[in-house]
Amino acid sequence: MEKIIVKKSSNLHGNIKVDGSKNSILPILAATLLCPEECKIHDIPNLQDVKIMCGLLEALGAKVEKTETNTLKVTAENITTCEAPYELISKMRASFLVMGPLLTRCHNAKVYMPGGCAIGTRPIDLHLKGFKHLGSDIKSENGYVNATTEQLKGRDIYLDFPSVGATENIIMAATLAEGETILENAAEEPEIVDLANFINSMGGNIVGAGTKTIRIKGVKKLHKTEHTVIPDRIEAGTYMVAAAATGGDVMIENVVPSHLQPIIAKLREAGVTIEEYDDKIRVKAGNTIKPVDIKTLPYPGFPTDMQAQFMAMLSKADGTSIINETIFENRFMHVNEMSRMGLHVKVEGSSAILMGNSHLSGAKVRATDLRAGAALIIAGLLADGETEITEVYHIKRGYSNIVKKLQNLGADIRYEK
């Protein structure tokens, strides 16, 4: 069983380059099913989730070709089946995003209930509600969702919660629908904008992505395109926190600073110096970490995908910090693992109270989910002795070459079989 071994490492320094966004490339790959012509996509991260999505596209009949490093060509001229296989869907929640494209292009989609990290229920009811509003008949049986339609038609849709996945799936379903769809209370994440830009580059007509109201005018057909994925803001944030926590000085390249403002604001509040450039951010740690309070919210609020990493950093804060998780009900599973390393924390409902000044010691811990795994690496960099992290497949789902990248900054970290 593969493990990551981490030892205490101070003053990370150097340059690190961020890969393309995991949360952007997955819906973009799903959206290639909308187009019968070739789509060429650049800056694709080398992640297990991307491999699963590519395997799913191939299972549906698309041709997927890796032409060069970090570039893929996808041609979905012939979709041979509208049934997404269980063995792929069950591995990754984002695979459910193929339902919207299949439904609008083929008028039929049969997709197994999705899997992924066990951080909360993350229901798909908002996706299905959107499909129903667009004119689809939905049936659920034997773990599958079966959707059929003669022709999707544009409607006004209001999301009860600004779900990223539901926003993406409804946008894709509405792209080839008849008439105009107005999506209210939509998610505003940069990844939504990237998806809309990709679809528009194929001839789609989407206006308002990145705001609460998105208008999608259906088109009859899309054409070939070439697109570069935006940088991964959560990967960037993770390395920013690692630099700050270890007292380091790190230049993080290939970023969009405007996507990182909530993270930048909280790091500055914690006493960290942040220098912003066009496509780079320099992180210089202060003499101490100041306590901060965090409340996770939909974008542009503080991202739920960063609270675990901040918890690791705030373990050494000089005072009490409070993290309030409002997005996922099971997002504190890493607390038990960090507590084994000496973290002084108390969980009350949706809040975690960190007493600060924790003396962390290396221990055997497991990555309970993707971001928890990254947080445990940061905790290991702060802990005396050796930290052994298992179930590292979670980490590989969202971070390409994280061990090598941290080694290049001076971290004592390695893989071990």
Side-chain angles (χ1 to χ4, degrees):
M1 179 174 63
E2 193 171 40
K3 299 175 283 191
I4 291 179
I5 308 299
V6 191
K7 294 183 179 180
K8 189 170 186 176
S9 305
S10 299
N11 303 315
L12 295 187
H13 64 278
N15 290 33
I16 193 166
K17 185 177 180 181
V18 172
D19 290 318
S21 169
K22 165 189 177 288
N23 290 335
S24 200
I25 184 55
L26 297 177
I28 285 174
L29 285 172
T32 63
L33 294 170
L34 295 167
C35 180
E37 299 180 9
E38 177 186 284
C39 300
K40 191 173 184 180
I41 309 168
H42 302 288
D43 208 7
I44 292 182
N46 181 25
L47 302 173
Q48 185 61 29
D49 277 11
V50 174
K51 294 175 184 177
I52 293 171
M53 183 61 86
C54 289
L56 177 55
L57 296 180
E58 290 176 323
L60 295 170
K63 294 181 180 179
V64 181
E65 178 187 2
K66 188 172 185 179
T67 59
E68 54 191 272
T69 303
N70 300 333
T71 297
L72 285 176
K73 286 182 180 179
V74 182
T75 307
E77 181 180 5
N78 298 310
I79 296 177
T80 56
T81 178
C82 291
E83 181 175 337
Y86 161 79
E87 60 271 17
L88 293 174
I89 294 287
S90 61
K91 292 180 180 178
M92 182 182 67
R93 181 172 185 81
S95 54
F96 194 74
L97 292 172
V98 301
M99 191 161 198
L102 288 176
L103 181 59
T104 195
R105 184 171 169 195
C106 306
H107 300 167
N108 179 42
K110 186 177 181 182
V111 181
Y112 189 79
M113 294 289 190
C117 287
I119 57 176
T121 55
R122 301 202 287 186
I124 58 170
D125 60 323
L126 295 178
H127 302 239
L128 302 183
K129 181 180 177 181
F131 296 153
K132 286 180 180 178
H133 276 297
L134 293 173
S136 174
D137 181 48
I138 306 287
K139 293 181 180 178
S140 299
E141 54 187 3
N142 301 321
Y144 278 88
V145 176
N146 195 358
T148 56
T149 183
E150 290 186 9
Q151 171 66 52
L152 295 183
K153 295 184 179 181
R155 289 278 303 278
D156 291 358
I157 299 172
Y158 177 84
L159 291 179
D160 297 328
F161 178 83
S163 160
V164 174
T167 299
E168 292 166 341
N169 232 339
I170 293 168
I171 285 174
M172 290 186 283
T175 293
L176 299 178
E178 184 181 293
E180 183 180 52
T181 298
I182 300 177
L183 183 58
E184 299 280 5
N185 199 32
E188 302 175 70
E189 274 74 359
E191 295 80 15
I192 303 288
V193 180
D194 203 25
L195 173 64
N197 288 341
F198 172 69
I199 294 174
N200 285 344
S201 74
M202 296 191 289
N205 190 337
I206 303 167
V207 177
T211 73
K212 289 288 187 184
T213 302
I214 303 176
R215 296 175 180 267
I216 310 107
K217 291 184 179 179
V219 298
K220 291 186 177 180
K221 191 177 181 180
L222 300 175
H223 55 71
K224 68 178 181 179
T225 191
E226 192 166 343
H227 181 80
T228 299
V229 178
I230 61 172
D232 195 310
R233 61 192 172 97
I234 304 303
E235 183 191 10
T238 299
Y239 295 133
M240 290 168 70
V241 172
T246 60
D249 183 349
V250 176
M251 182 71 80
I252 300 167
E253 302 172 347
N254 189 37
V255 300
V256 180
S258 62
H259 294 173
L260 294 161
Q261 289 308 308
I263 298 168
I264 290 171
K266 286 299 174 182
L267 284 174
R268 283 176 171 157
E269 192 177 329
V272 181
T273 298
I274 307 290
E275 298 175 4
E276 299 178 50
Y277 303 91
D278 289 342
D279 60 352
K280 297 182 289 188
I281 287 178
R282 185 180 181 184
V283 180
K284 298 171 67 177
N287 294 326
T288 60
I289 298 292
K290 299 176 183 178
V292 298
D293 292 343
I294 291 171
K295 182 178 183 179
T296 66
L297 290 167
Y299 189 88
F302 188 90
T304 180
D305 280 352
M306 282 301 304
Q307 61 97 334
Q309 298 92 309
F310 264 79
M311 184 177 289
M313 181 189 76
L314 293 171
S315 69
K316 60 181 290 186
D318 188 20
T320 300
S321 302
I322 299 175
I323 298 177
N324 186 15
E325 173 60 54
T326 72
I327 308 297
F328 294 126
E329 70 273 17
N330 292 340
R331 204 81 204 236
F332 286 138
M333 292 191 298
H334 51 278
V335 167
N336 287 338
E337 303 304 306
M338 288 189 182
S339 293
R340 297 176 63 192
M341 300 176 67
L343 177 69
H344 299 307
V345 59
K346 181 180 181 182
V347 175
E348 294 182 351
S350 61
S351 296
I353 303 166
L354 289 81
M355 274 59 91
N357 293 312
S358 297
H359 180 80
L360 300 185
S361 299
K364 292 184 178 181
V365 292
R366 65 185 184 92
T368 52
D369 63 72
L370 166 56
R371 306 307 173 184
L376 289 172
I377 288 177
I378 296 172
L381 295 173
L382 302 177
D384 290 332
E386 183 175 277
T387 299
E388 179 183 303
I389 305 170
T390 59
E391 300 186 30
V392 299
Y393 62 88
H394 282 301
I395 300 172
K396 288 186 173 182
R397 288 186 52 239
Y399 296 92
S400 175
N401 300 318
I402 188 170
V403 168
K404 184 177 180 181
K405 287 182 178 182
L406 289 172
Q407 285 174 342
N408 289 341
L409 296 178
D412 190 341
I413 182 172
R414 70 182 190 276
Y415 282 115
E416 189 175 282
K417 297 290 186 180

